[in-house]
Amino acid sequence: MKVALVTGGARGIGLCTARRLVEEGFEVQVADRVSVSEPLPGVSFHSIDISQPDEVFELAATLQTQGGVDVLVNNAGVRGATLPVTEYPLEEWESVLRINLTGAFLCCRAFARQMQEKKWGRIVNISSMAGKCPYPLRSAYAASKWGLIGLTLTLAQELGEDRITVNAVCPGPVANPGMERVLEARATAAGQSVAAVRDEFLRRQAIPEMPREEDVANLVAFLASEAAWSITGQAIDVSSGYRA
């Protein structure tokens, strides 16, 4: 049985992805700073902060003794403040980059080595449409997601000879509680109603309905499969056709 590690898998898209990978027959390991809200059959939980190199190294060493990781889903991330660049605190900027981008780098560095030993692997980085489009008032988040796509493209070239694929999934606005908090923060910052901000997002989509967490998880599951062996170095949207 192949082993998948999902960071930030205790809730939201990460939790939905963990469930989906269990359905596909993977043994799933979840790494998160918070515990899962409900026990999940087939899922083991590890309480770590993926922005801390020592904690990532320790988890990698532990999972190596159990046979290593075959699939890495870098989903852990934070949204950061909703402020213009001129008002954005440096400590907040550094915190967002450390978790969203450096954390993914640390996990890729640690677990790609295990995949290289097996000459097989899948890395799926959860980026965002904010990694492809301008995203006013969320500069740190956007920068981290643009950087994650750059890391994806680079790793795909470095690891391809070992039959390891590396892809990014770029959700647009996803219908979940986290997105509701984003809408509320943007509405407050812009002095608009939540309904107006939501309508603005929907107007930018070809299909005027936000994707679900399950839609993101389904793409991750496909990219983790044998069928996706020739797909690498891609940043694939799940966005209902969102454009800035």
Side-chain angles (χ1 to χ4, degrees):
M1 180 182 292
K2 284 186 166 54
V3 176
L5 172 64
V6 181
T7 70
R11 56 193 170 189
I13 289 172
L15 178 58
C16 189
T17 298
R19 289 193 182 108
R20 185 72 178 83
L21 291 173
V22 169
E23 292 173 1
E24 291 297 312
F26 288 92
E27 176 188 325
V28 177
Q29 309 282 338
V30 163
D32 207 320
R33 293 187 297 183
V34 299
S35 59
V36 292
S37 56
E38 59 187 76
L40 296 176
V43 175
S44 300
F45 177 76
H46 306 271
S47 178
I48 76 163
D49 180 346
I50 53 97
S51 71
Q52 300 302 312
D54 291 347
E55 294 188 32
V56 174
F57 177 82
E58 183 178 349
L59 177 61
T62 297
L63 296 182
Q64 179 71 70
T65 65
Q66 301 171 16
V69 166
D70 303 285
V71 174
L72 169 64
V73 182
N74 280 311
N75 171 74
V78 295
R79 296 178 181 86
T82 304
L83 290 168
V85 170
T86 52
E87 300 174 18
Y88 211 97
L90 175 60
E91 60 272 19
E92 179 81 355
W93 170 275
E94 292 176 338
S95 176
V96 172
L97 270 290
R98 187 169 62 250
I99 295 169
N100 293 8
L101 184 56
T102 301
F105 158 75
L106 292 171
C107 290
C108 287
R109 185 177 65 171
F111 292 102
R113 293 170 179 167
Q114 298 180 6
M115 298 176 192
Q116 286 176 311
E117 292 176 5
K118 301 181 179 191
K119 300 297 180 183
W120 193 97
R122 303 283 188 266
I123 297 175
V124 183
N125 296 320
I126 306 301
S127 182
S128 169
M129 290 304 295
K132 292 185 170 185
C133 304
Y135 200 24
L137 304 180
R138 299 284 295 284
S139 56
Y141 183 80
S144 70
K145 295 303 185 179
W146 280 81
L148 196 53
I149 291 176
L151 177 62
T152 297
L153 302 183
T154 299
L155 275 176
Q157 294 296 316
E158 292 183 0
L159 301 175
E161 289 188 2
D162 292 314
R163 298 299 186 266
I164 300 167
T165 66
V166 188
N167 292 288
V169 172
C170 300
V174 172
N176 65 7
M179 189 63 207
E180 291 302 311
R181 291 191 289 273
V182 169
L183 295 174
E184 290 167 5
R186 293 189 72 82
T188 298
Q192 297 178 301
S193 69
V194 172
V197 174
R198 180 183 287 105
D199 287 345
E200 177 60 28
F201 274 112
L202 293 177
R203 278 195 295 271
R204 296 180 181 185
Q205 298 179 180
I207 302 170
E209 181 179 345
M210 292 183 183
R212 304 161 302 166
E213 293 174 349
E214 291 84 353
D215 299 314
V216 180
N218 286 338
L219 178 56
V220 174
F222 171 68
L223 293 173
S225 73
E226 292 283 1
W229 72 270
S230 65
I231 301 172
T232 195
Q234 304 302 308
I236 305 172
D237 302 351
V238 183
S239 69
S240 298
Y242 181 89
R243 289 294 179 267

